[in-house]
Amino acid sequence: MAGSMEAVAMDCEMVGLGPSQQSGLARCSLVDAQGSVLYDKFIRPEGEITNYRTQVSGITPQHMERATPFTVARMEVLQLLRGKLVVGHDLKHDFEALKEDMNKYSIYDTATDRLLWRAANLQGCKRVSLRVLSERLLRKSIQCPGVPCREAQPLCAL
């Protein structure tokens, strides 16, 4: 990780758009290293929502009624990320949903850190979820059904 660079953790939730159910950004949460929420908004993606993926995303049609338009939210989020170390899990999906090239940013991705996997005794796995890493390393449960965990997911990545 970058030495003195300020870190911001990011977690995004997606919904399915159109007949192919391509992922569209429906919520973005950012927290700083102290756990303070920098950004947490529902975002109205570009295109017709055909699958809210509520079981995974927690997003419902009611959340979209007063959601921030994608173009506005994208600019807000990218401004908060500029010059920061962006921390998260499987960030390629979040940056794809933001329609942004992640190579422009300093990144620390818990989905690709094999030393972290080893510390969690998961080195034989092909893929590791943030939920499992959190349970193994931090003894914290995230992504609990019916429990609002918006700040927990990006904070666990930090």
Side-chain angles (χ1 to χ4, degrees):
M1 290 199 301
S4 62
M5 188 176 276
E6 186 180 342
V8 173
M10 176 168 66
D11 185 54
C12 295
E13 298 300 333
M14 276 54 118
V15 293
L17 302 176
S20 65
Q21 294 200 19
Q22 178 182 356
S23 289
L25 184 62
R27 188 171 191 174
C28 184
S29 300
L30 303 173
V31 298
D32 66 16
Q34 291 72 43
S36 298
V37 177
L38 302 174
Y39 191 90
D40 185 27
K41 289 186 180 180
F42 290 101
I43 299 164
R44 188 170 42 259
E46 297 173 321
E48 178 191 0
I49 299 173
T50 53
N51 185 347
Y52 285 89
R53 303 176 183 169
T54 304
Q55 292 280 59
V56 175
S57 71
I59 306 295
T60 66
Q62 292 77 21
H63 292 127
M64 294 295 104
E65 289 174 6
R66 301 200 308 165
T68 302
F70 174 79
T71 53
V72 173
R74 180 180 184 274
M75 289 178 53
E76 292 172 345
V77 170
L78 296 180
Q79 183 159 356
L80 290 167
L81 296 181
R82 278 195 189 26
K84 309 284 193 317
L85 172 65
V86 183
V87 178
H89 190 82
D90 227 357
L91 285 167
K92 67 183 175 197
H93 300 294
D94 295 354
F95 277 97
E96 284 172 5
L98 282 164
K99 299 181 180 180
E100 182 71 351
D101 179 4
M102 70 186 280
N103 293 317
K104 295 179 183 178
Y105 298 84
S106 296
I107 300 291
Y108 174 75
D109 196 328
T110 58
T112 59
D113 185 342
R114 300 294 178 155
L115 292 174
L116 195 61
W117 293 21
R118 187 181 323 164
N121 199 24
L122 297 165
Q123 58 268 40
C125 298
K126 290 184 179 177
R127 204 160 179 266
V128 176
S129 70
L130 182 60
R131 179 186 59 80
V132 171
L133 283 173
S134 176
E135 288 170 358
R136 293 272 183 105
L137 297 173
L138 303 174
R139 308 273 189 257
K140 288 185 180 263
S141 293
I142 61 170
Q143 299 172 334
C144 318
V147 178
C149 303
R150 289 311 315 147
E151 296 85 28
Q153 290 180 31
L155 191 56
C156 284
L158 272 175

mmCIF file of all heavy atoms in Angstrom, residues 91-113:
data_model
loop_
_atom_site.group_PDB
_atom_site.id
_atom_site.type_symbol
_atom_site.label_atom_id
_atom_site.label_comp_id
_atom_site.label_asym_id
_atom_site.label_seq_id
_atom_site.Cartn_x
_atom_site.Cartn_y
_atom_site.Cartn_z
ATOM 1 N N LEU A 91 -12.674 -4.742 -6.603
ATOM 2 C CA LEU A 91 -12.955 -3.374 -7.054
ATOM 3 C C LEU A 91 -13.194 -3.242 -8.552
ATOM 4 O O LEU A 91 -13.807 -2.262 -8.986
ATOM 5 C CB LEU A 91 -11.808 -2.447 -6.640
ATOM 6 C CG LEU A 91 -11.770 -2.079 -5.163
ATOM 7 C CD1 LEU A 91 -10.442 -1.426 -4.812
ATOM 8 C CD2 LEU A 91 -12.935 -1.175 -4.797
ATOM 9 N N LYS A 92 -12.756 -4.207 -9.335
ATOM 10 C CA LYS A 92 -12.964 -4.091 -10.789
ATOM 11 C C LYS A 92 -14.444 -3.937 -11.109
ATOM 12 O O LYS A 92 -14.813 -3.191 -12.007
ATOM 13 C CB LYS A 92 -12.356 -5.275 -11.529
ATOM 14 C CG LYS A 92 -13.017 -6.594 -11.261
ATOM 15 C CD LYS A 92 -12.330 -7.735 -11.971
ATOM 16 C CE LYS A 92 -12.982 -9.039 -11.556
ATOM 17 N NZ LYS A 92 -12.158 -10.183 -11.875
ATOM 18 N N HIS A 93 -15.304 -4.607 -10.359
ATOM 19 C CA HIS A 93 -16.748 -4.509 -10.612
ATOM 20 C C HIS A 93 -17.283 -3.123 -10.240
ATOM 21 O O HIS A 93 -18.131 -2.576 -10.948
ATOM 22 C CB HIS A 93 -17.500 -5.592 -9.840
ATOM 23 C CG HIS A 93 -17.081 -6.974 -10.222
ATOM 24 N ND1 HIS A 93 -17.305 -7.513 -11.472
ATOM 25 C CD2 HIS A 93 -16.414 -7.919 -9.530
ATOM 26 C CE1 HIS A 93 -16.815 -8.725 -11.535
ATOM 27 N NE2 HIS A 93 -16.264 -9.002 -10.367
ATOM 28 N N ASP A 94 -16.782 -2.573 -9.139
ATOM 29 C CA ASP A 94 -17.219 -1.239 -8.720
ATOM 30 C C ASP A 94 -16.793 -0.184 -9.740
ATOM 31 O O ASP A 94 -17.579 0.692 -10.112
ATOM 32 C CB ASP A 94 -16.656 -0.900 -7.337
ATOM 33 C CG ASP A 94 -17.197 -1.809 -6.244
ATOM 34 O OD1 ASP A 94 -18.092 -2.636 -6.523
ATOM 35 O OD2 ASP A 94 -16.740 -1.694 -5.102
ATOM 36 N N PHE A 95 -15.550 -0.280 -10.214
ATOM 37 C CA PHE A 95 -15.080 0.688 -11.206
ATOM 38 C C PHE A 95 -15.790 0.508 -12.546
ATOM 39 O O PHE A 95 -16.071 1.493 -13.233
ATOM 40 C CB PHE A 95 -13.554 0.625 -11.358
ATOM 41 C CG PHE A 95 -12.828 1.422 -10.310
ATOM 42 C CD1 PHE A 95 -12.326 0.810 -9.181
ATOM 43 C CD2 PHE A 95 -12.680 2.793 -10.449
ATOM 44 C CE1 PHE A 95 -11.673 1.542 -8.203
ATOM 45 C CE2 PHE A 95 -12.021 3.549 -9.482
ATOM 46 C CZ PHE A 95 -11.517 2.915 -8.352
ATOM 47 N N GLU A 96 -16.092 -0.729 -12.915
ATOM 48 C CA GLU A 96 -16.869 -0.956 -14.148
ATOM 49 C C GLU A 96 -18.247 -0.300 -14.034
ATOM 50 O O GLU A 96 -18.724 0.327 -14.972
ATOM 51 C CB GLU A 96 -17.024 -2.447 -14.422
ATOM 52 C CG GLU A 96 -15.776 -3.103 -14.967
ATOM 53 C CD GLU A 96 -15.885 -4.623 -15.060
ATOM 54 O OE1 GLU A 96 -16.962 -5.193 -14.785
ATOM 55 O OE2 GLU A 96 -14.868 -5.249 -15.398
ATOM 56 N N ALA A 97 -18.880 -0.453 -12.881
ATOM 57 C CA ALA A 97 -20.204 0.143 -12.676
ATOM 58 C C ALA A 97 -20.131 1.666 -12.701
ATOM 59 O O ALA A 97 -21.074 2.332 -13.127
ATOM 60 C CB ALA A 97 -20.811 -0.349 -11.363
ATOM 61 N N LEU A 98 -19.005 2.219 -12.255
ATOM 62 C CA LEU A 98 -18.798 3.671 -12.292
ATOM 63 C C LEU A 98 -18.357 4.158 -13.680
ATOM 64 O O LEU A 98 -18.209 5.361 -13.891
ATOM 65 C CB LEU A 98 -17.731 4.083 -11.268
ATOM 66 C CG LEU A 98 -18.175 4.156 -9.819
ATOM 67 C CD1 LEU A 98 -16.976 4.173 -8.893
ATOM 68 C CD2 LEU A 98 -19.055 5.377 -9.598
ATOM 69 N N LYS A 99 -18.126 3.203 -14.591
ATOM 70 C CA LYS A 99 -17.639 3.512 -15.945
ATOM 71 C C LYS A 99 -16.347 4.320 -15.876
ATOM 72 O O LYS A 99 -16.181 5.355 -16.522
ATOM 73 C CB LYS A 99 -18.711 4.232 -16.762
ATOM 74 C CG LYS A 99 -19.959 3.388 -16.943
ATOM 75 C CD LYS A 99 -21.008 4.072 -17.766
ATOM 76 C CE LYS A 99 -22.224 3.152 -17.899
ATOM 77 N NZ LYS A 99 -23.281 3.747 -18.682
ATOM 78 N N GLU A 100 -15.420 3.789 -15.060
ATOM 79 C CA GLU A 100 -14.143 4.466 -14.821
ATOM 80 C C GLU A 100 -13.007 3.458 -14.919
ATOM 81 O O GLU A 100 -13.151 2.308 -14.496
ATOM 82 C CB GLU A 100 -14.159 5.118 -13.428
ATOM 83 C CG GLU A 100 -12.927 5.897 -13.076
ATOM 84 C CD GLU A 100 -12.749 7.205 -13.844
ATOM 85 O OE1 GLU A 100 -13.513 7.466 -14.802
ATOM 86 O OE2 GLU A 100 -11.833 7.963 -13.502
ATOM 87 N N ASP A 101 -11.885 3.892 -15.463
ATOM 88 C CA ASP A 101 -10.692 3.066 -15.580
ATOM 89 C C ASP A 101 -9.982 3.034 -14.229
ATOM 90 O O ASP A 101 -9.459 4.051 -13.776
ATOM 91 C CB ASP A 101 -9.776 3.636 -16.662
ATOM 92 C CG ASP A 101 -8.492 2.863 -16.847
ATOM 93 O OD1 ASP A 101 -8.301 1.805 -16.197
ATOM 94 O OD2 ASP A 101 -7.664 3.313 -17.657
ATOM 95 N N MET A 102 -9.949 1.865 -13.597
ATOM 96 C CA MET A 102 -9.348 1.781 -12.271
ATOM 97 C C MET A 102 -7.832 1.940 -12.309
ATOM 98 O O MET A 102 -7.209 2.175 -11.273
ATOM 99 C CB MET A 102 -9.764 0.496 -11.555
ATOM 100 C CG MET A 102 -9.200 -0.781 -12.086
ATOM 101 S SD MET A 102 -9.909 -2.231 -11.263
ATOM 102 C CE MET A 102 -8.997 -2.294 -9.749
ATOM 103 N N ASN A 103 -7.225 1.855 -13.480
ATOM 104 C CA ASN A 103 -5.777 2.043 -13.591
ATOM 105 C C ASN A 103 -5.349 3.479 -13.298
ATOM 106 O O ASN A 103 -4.167 3.740 -13.102
ATOM 107 C CB ASN A 103 -5.286 1.612 -14.978
ATOM 108 C CG ASN A 103 -5.446 0.122 -15.177
ATOM 109 O OD1 ASN A 103 -5.161 -0.675 -14.288
ATOM 110 N ND2 ASN A 103 -5.935 -0.266 -16.347
ATOM 111 N N LYS A 104 -6.305 4.388 -13.248
ATOM 112 C CA LYS A 104 -6.005 5.791 -12.922
ATOM 113 C C LYS A 104 -5.846 6.008 -11.417
ATOM 114 O O LYS A 104 -5.528 7.107 -10.985
ATOM 115 C CB LYS A 104 -7.140 6.695 -13.407
ATOM 116 C CG LYS A 104 -7.334 6.745 -14.898
ATOM 117 C CD LYS A 104 -8.508 7.655 -15.207
ATOM 118 C CE LYS A 104 -8.839 7.724 -16.666
ATOM 119 N NZ LYS A 104 -10.025 8.579 -16.895
ATOM 120 N N TYR A 105 -6.094 4.968 -10.611
ATOM 121 C CA TYR A 105 -6.144 5.108 -9.167
ATOM 122 C C TYR A 105 -5.153 4.170 -8.482
ATOM 123 O O TYR A 105 -4.797 3.127 -9.021
ATOM 124 C CB TYR A 105 -7.563 4.787 -8.659
ATOM 125 C CG TYR A 105 -8.587 5.733 -9.218
ATOM 126 C CD1 TYR A 105 -9.153 5.525 -10.468
ATOM 127 C CD2 TYR A 105 -8.960 6.870 -8.507
ATOM 128 C CE1 TYR A 105 -10.071 6.408 -11.001
ATOM 129 C CE2 TYR A 105 -9.877 7.758 -9.038
ATOM 130 C CZ TYR A 105 -10.425 7.526 -10.285
ATOM 131 O OH TYR A 105 -11.324 8.408 -10.810
ATOM 132 N N SER A 106 -4.739 4.559 -7.295
ATOM 133 C CA SER A 106 -3.987 3.653 -6.427
ATOM 134 C C SER A 106 -5.010 2.748 -5.769
ATOM 135 O O SER A 106 -5.995 3.234 -5.207
ATOM 136 C CB SER A 106 -3.216 4.435 -5.368
ATOM 137 O OG SER A 106 -2.249 5.253 -5.965
ATOM 138 N N ILE A 107 -4.788 1.448 -5.855
ATOM 139 C CA ILE A 107 -5.785 0.463 -5.440
ATOM 140 C C ILE A 107 -5.180 -0.512 -4.439
ATOM 141 O O ILE A 107 -4.033 -0.944 -4.594
ATOM 142 C CB ILE A 107 -6.266 -0.357 -6.668
ATOM 143 C CG1 ILE A 107 -6.898 0.529 -7.722
ATOM 144 C CG2 ILE A 107 -7.187 -1.490 -6.261
ATOM 145 C CD1 ILE A 107 -8.214 1.128 -7.337
ATOM 146 N N TYR A 108 -5.965 -0.878 -3.442
ATOM 147 C CA TYR A 108 -5.656 -2.044 -2.604
ATOM 148 C C TYR A 108 -6.924 -2.888 -2.602
ATOM 149 O O TYR A 108 -7.962 -2.469 -2.094
ATOM 150 C CB TYR A 108 -5.267 -1.668 -1.169
ATOM 151 C CG TYR A 108 -5.104 -2.899 -0.316
ATOM 152 C CD1 TYR A 108 -3.985 -3.710 -0.455
ATOM 153 C CD2 TYR A 108 -6.089 -3.278 0.576
ATOM 154 C CE1 TYR A 108 -3.853 -4.867 0.293
ATOM 155 C CE2 TYR A 108 -5.965 -4.429 1.324
ATOM 156 C CZ TYR A 108 -4.844 -5.215 1.188
ATOM 157 O OH TYR A 108 -4.726 -6.361 1.909
ATOM 158 N N ASP A 109 -6.826 -4.073 -3.209
ATOM 159 C CA ASP A 109 -7.992 -4.937 -3.376
ATOM 160 C C ASP A 109 -7.830 -6.194 -2.531
ATOM 161 O O ASP A 109 -6.926 -7.002 -2.775
ATOM 162 C CB ASP A 109 -8.162 -5.293 -4.855
ATOM 163 C CG ASP A 109 -9.535 -5.855 -5.168
ATOM 164 O OD1 ASP A 109 -10.127 -6.521 -4.296
ATOM 165 O OD2 ASP A 109 -10.017 -5.630 -6.297
ATOM 166 N N THR A 110 -8.693 -6.371 -1.552
ATOM 167 C CA THR A 110 -8.616 -7.535 -0.667
ATOM 168 C C THR A 110 -8.914 -8.837 -1.411
ATOM 169 O O THR A 110 -8.561 -9.909 -0.934
ATOM 170 C CB THR A 110 -9.585 -7.388 0.525
ATOM 171 O OG1 THR A 110 -10.919 -7.214 0.035
ATOM 172 C CG2 THR A 110 -9.201 -6.211 1.393
ATOM 173 N N ALA A 111 -9.536 -8.749 -2.589
ATOM 174 C CA ALA A 111 -9.846 -9.945 -3.371
ATOM 175 C C ALA A 111 -8.605 -10.531 -4.033
ATOM 176 O O ALA A 111 -8.625 -11.678 -4.465
ATOM 177 C CB ALA A 111 -10.904 -9.629 -4.425
ATOM 178 N N THR A 112 -7.529 -9.757 -4.108
ATOM 179 C CA THR A 112 -6.330 -10.232 -4.793
ATOM 180 C C THR A 112 -5.110 -10.323 -3.879
ATOM 181 O O THR A 112 -4.034 -10.703 -4.339
ATOM 182 C CB THR A 112 -5.994 -9.309 -5.985
ATOM 183 O OG1 THR A 112 -5.786 -7.984 -5.506
ATOM 184 C CG2 THR A 112 -7.105 -9.330 -7.018
ATOM 185 N N ASP A 113 -5.245 -10.010 -2.612
ATOM 186 C CA ASP A 113 -4.117 -10.027 -1.679
ATOM 187 C C ASP A 113 -3.925 -11.430 -1.102
ATOM 188 O O ASP A 113 -4.600 -11.828 -0.153
ATOM 189 C CB ASP A 113 -4.339 -9.009 -0.563
ATOM 190 C CG ASP A 113 -3.146 -8.896 0.373
ATOM 191 O OD1 ASP A 113 -2.295 -9.803 0.400
ATOM 192 O OD2 ASP A 113 -3.080 -7.887 1.094
#
